[in-house]
């Protein structure tokens, strides 16, 4: 599945759940929430949680949680971009183009 195909699938899923019609401000709040969850997942990996209500997670569980939270954050970016009629593939191209332009002559070779 390409990122554009995932964006299309995600929009359809959100429309079926009646979540897509929320304003970009609401989706930005969702993104902020997911970003916090990414932060929590990284903290758990890097320094631990030391929380009496949580069982100690294995490294595999910690990594799986980080992957899940990163995917959730990405999904919110894709939904927001769709609300503004921006194709996900265009986001990738814009990122690469900006970095290439900014760091001309200082780019790693592939």
């Amino acid at each position: 599945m390409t990122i554009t195909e995932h964006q299309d699938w995600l929009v359809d899923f959100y429309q079926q759940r009646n979540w897509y019609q929320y304003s970009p401000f609401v989706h930005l709040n969702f993104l902020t929430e997911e970003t916090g969850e990414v932060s929590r997942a990284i903290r758990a990996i890097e320094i631990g949680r030391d929380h009496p209500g949580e069982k100690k997670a294995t490294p595999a569980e910690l990594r799986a949680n980080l992957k899940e939270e990163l995917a959730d954050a990405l999904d919110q970016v894709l939904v927001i971009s769709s609300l503004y009629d921006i194709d996900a593939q265009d986001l990738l191209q814009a990122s690469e183009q900006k970095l290439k332009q900014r760091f001309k002559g200082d780019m790693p070779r592939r």
Side-chain angles (χ1 to χ4, degrees), residues 40-91:
R40 182 178 187 206
I42 290 173
R43 174 186 172 197
I45 291 170
E46 295 298 323
I47 63 172
R49 289 270 305 149
D50 194 24
H51 190 285
E54 296 177 7
K55 73 172 185 76
K56 185 162 174 59
T58 67
E61 290 170 330
L62 292 170
R63 184 172 169 82
N65 180 247
L66 176 58
K67 184 177 177 180
E68 177 184 335
E69 300 306 343
L70 286 168
D72 290 347
L74 175 62
D75 283 352
Q76 288 307 315
V77 169
L78 295 176
V79 168
I80 292 168
S81 66
S82 174
L83 289 168
Y84 288 102
D85 199 29
I86 299 171
D87 184 272
Q89 186 64 40
D90 292 344
L91 295 175

Side-chain angles (χ1 to χ4, degrees), residues 88-103 107 110:
Q89 186 64 40
D90 292 344
L91 295 175
L92 300 180
Q93 291 170 346
S95 171
E96 190 171 318
Q97 182 179 23
K98 178 179 91 174
L99 291 172
K100 284 179 177 178
Q101 182 65 31
R102 185 176 292 167
F103 297 98
M107 292 297 297
R110 290 189 199 186

